[in-house]
Amino acid sequence: MSADVRQMADGVFLVHGTHTNWVILVEGDAVTLVDTGYPGDRPLLLASLAQVGSAPEAVAAVLLTHAHNDHVGSAEYLRATYGTPVYAHEAEVPHARRDFLHQVGAGQVLLNAWRPGVLPWGLRALRSGGTAHVPVTAPEAFRAAGPLDLPGRPVPVPTPGHTDGHCAFHLPDAGVLVSGDALVSGHPTSRITGPQLLPRMFHHEPAAAAASLDVLAGLDGDVLLPGHGPAHLGPLREAARTARARAQ
């Protein structure tokens, strides 16, 4: 099996899974994995590591942008099998443990079933483990400021709204933003392409999600690696402003 792996900068790889993305940061013999796709994406996840010349035992850490099932799917597998630490923003740690769940429910999906793309997306999500119970047993909080001492030296950028502890990761030297679901470039349930917020039903606090775009607009760089949709090339500030205008 091969994965859709695309090199976006030196040591920075975007991987497209089942309607969701993850990012591999390579530094020497070690890697940082930002998100892990759906539970059903595990074969693709392992294949993507092999395709960049790595292996699951070389993953120094999993960084979670947030703890929805389509991003946290194999985090506990890596932690339990290889001892890989799993890090998230301190506000997201209890979400990753599943002390609570802030995720779109079946009822909300059904209420929006009339929208183009929603039912096909929902069925694919179910098949991929979108409603599976995949808590991370022992997630850890990273420090909230400055670059992390991990391959790629990602800088956490708190962007609450999609979830309370959502966090993007900035790679200032590479001009790259790993935005998770704070800023995306497409989704099967969206009628538009390019920089945007996910549809309202996916956000725990829609107003806060829109406000977090102003934080992203202050970052330098020209490569956006979103949690959903293709990579977007162009100034990050313009991408965030475009999404903000579309969210009005």
Side-chain angles (χ1 to χ4, degrees), residues 47-137:
S48 70
L49 290 170
Q51 284 170 236
V52 302
S54 189
E57 54 266 30
V59 179
V62 172
L63 287 181
L64 298 178
T65 60
H66 63 296
H68 284 162
N69 275 20
D70 56 336
H71 295 260
V72 76
S74 287
E76 176 64 14
Y77 165 78
L78 292 169
R79 191 204 67 79
T81 306
Y82 300 99
T84 311
V86 179
Y87 295 108
H89 187 278
E90 61 181 357
E92 198 70 7
V93 165
H95 193 201
R97 285 196 306 256
R98 288 298 183 261
D99 295 355
F100 54 83
L101 180 61
H102 290 160
Q103 183 169 288
V104 64
Q108 290 169 289
V109 172
L110 288 173
L111 286 174
N112 286 273
W114 60 273
R115 298 180 183 276
V118 169
L119 277 181
W121 163 81
L123 292 172
R124 189 84 181 270
L126 281 173
R127 288 197 296 267
S128 300
T131 59
H133 185 57
V134 287
V136 180
T137 302

